[in-house]
Amino acid sequence: MRQANVYYKSQLAGVLTENDEGYEFSYLSDYLSSENAKPVSLTLPLQEQVFKSRVLFPFFDGLIPEGWLLDIATRNMDISILDRMSLLLVCCKDCIGAVSIEAIQGKEENHV
């Protein structure tokens, strides 16, 4: 299992999780109760319920670079183009726009 903090304009908004069933995204209750709370995406409106998907949510997948920048990331970091969560964690800490992604250290399990 891997997890990442999702920030909206430098405010911690929620947590994205990759697990054996796919992906989950949930907003933090502190963020939801904030008067400045905005959804990170129109496809992920503010709600207490957890969003679930078998594949990486299109919004988050869209944050991953394309073209020559993706080629550089996959080559230099030795990441498969199919490993979308790793690409998101490596490439989207400081992306263009209001949303950024930061890996939560120590949340990865080793599977044998």
Side-chain angles (χ1 to χ4, degrees):
M1 176 174 73
R2 293 186 286 185
Q3 290 187 305
N5 285 325
V6 177
Y7 293 87
Y8 183 82
K9 293 186 177 179
S10 73
Q11 184 177 7
L12 182 57
V15 175
L16 176 66
T17 303
E18 178 190 47
N19 56 38
D20 292 337
E21 288 80 41
Y23 298 87
E24 295 180 356
F25 173 72
S26 59
Y27 286 101
L28 299 175
S29 56
D30 287 348
Y31 183 76
L32 288 172
S33 64
S34 166
E35 61 185 49
N36 298 329
K38 303 273 191 236
V40 296
S41 165
L42 293 176
T43 59
L44 298 166
L46 295 175
Q47 67 180 37
E48 291 183 8
Q49 295 82 10
V50 176
F51 294 92
K52 295 183 180 191
S53 177
R54 304 272 303 136
V55 297
L56 184 59
F57 299 96
F59 170 74
F60 292 115
D61 197 67
L63 295 176
I64 298 170
E66 298 176 336
W68 63 270
L69 193 53
L70 178 60
D71 291 341
I72 290 171
T74 56
R75 254 183 294 146
N76 289 345
M77 300 303 216
D78 196 28
I79 299 172
S80 167
I81 196 166
L82 300 176
D83 187 353
R84 307 307 281 176
M85 186 69 167
S86 288
L87 288 169
L88 187 70
L89 295 174
V90 167
C91 299
C92 299
K93 188 173 184 176
D94 186 23
C95 26
I96 295 173
V99 176
S100 59
I101 309 296
E102 186 176 276
I104 298 175
Q105 301 302 321
K107 291 290 185 180
E108 189 168 341
E109 295 176 359
N110 295 325
H111 296 280
V112 180

